[in-house]
Amino acid sequence: MEIQTVDFNVWPKGEYNSAYAQYFTGNSYLATLAGGVMNVTFEPGCRNNWHIHHKAVQVLICVAGRGWYQEWGKEAVELKPGVVIVIPAEVKHWHGAAKDSWFQHLTYHKDVQDGASNEWLEAVTDEIYNLRY
């Protein structure tokens, strides 16, 4: 399998995401951008656990590589540059890179209410992840 790379001169790779590593399968990296926007970089095959954003809407703007987004009980959606995903509050979901590609998305939260939080849940199993191929 040939691995698709991304140009880290366009969007910075950032630092190893040690603070949230326990919620990821594989390695991810974070770069803080202006206005509270974060750039998340996923190595090939990396994905975050199922999680829920309480009292906040998460926005993903795909900028490089190829990945996947899936809401609980729904089919996965392919992520590639230009795709924007708006995740309503209280929706269980995961996102991450394809097996054969690095992946980057910008993320921020909007419509943030008092008491907003993030609930990390179980890992996305290989069985569910491998359905993408």
Side-chain angles (χ1 to χ4, degrees):
M1 166 177 25
E2 184 176 331
I3 301 295
Q4 179 182 347
T5 61
V6 297
D7 182 354
F8 294 119
N9 293 315
V10 176
W11 297 101
K13 181 178 176 184
E15 300 297 322
Y16 174 68
N17 185 8
S18 60
Y20 292 91
Q22 64 185 324
Y23 306 118
F24 283 74
T25 299
N27 294 321
S28 67
Y29 304 84
L30 291 176
T32 303
L33 306 177
V37 175
M38 300 295 292
N39 179 40
V40 184
T41 299
F42 300 80
E43 70 179 8
C46 176
R47 70 262 190 192
N48 52 33
N49 289 6
W50 291 99
H51 59 285
I52 301 170
H53 300 281
H54 298 290
K55 298 184 177 183
V57 172
Q58 183 182 28
V59 178
L60 306 178
I61 303 169
C62 307
V63 295
R66 193 169 67 83
W68 296 102
Y69 165 77
Q70 185 175 19
E71 293 181 7
W72 187 259
K74 295 186 179 180
E75 291 295 317
V77 174
E78 185 177 19
L79 302 176
K80 52 190 175 184
V83 172
V84 176
I85 301 287
V86 179
I87 307 162
E90 314 310 325
V91 171
K92 184 176 180 178
H93 67 282
W94 69 270
H95 33 103
K99 282 184 182 178
D100 62 352
S101 179
W102 284 81
F103 175 64
Q104 291 182 307
H105 67 55
L106 308 181
T107 184
Y108 66 92
H109 292 88
K110 66 177 200 158
D111 302 331
V112 179
Q113 301 173 24
D114 286 341
S117 65
N118 191 39
E119 180 181 2
W120 289 102
L121 303 165
E122 70 275 14
V124 175
T125 63
D126 288 343
E127 179 180 54
I128 288 178
Y129 180 77
N130 289 333
L131 289 175
R132 307 307 128 232
Y133 298 93

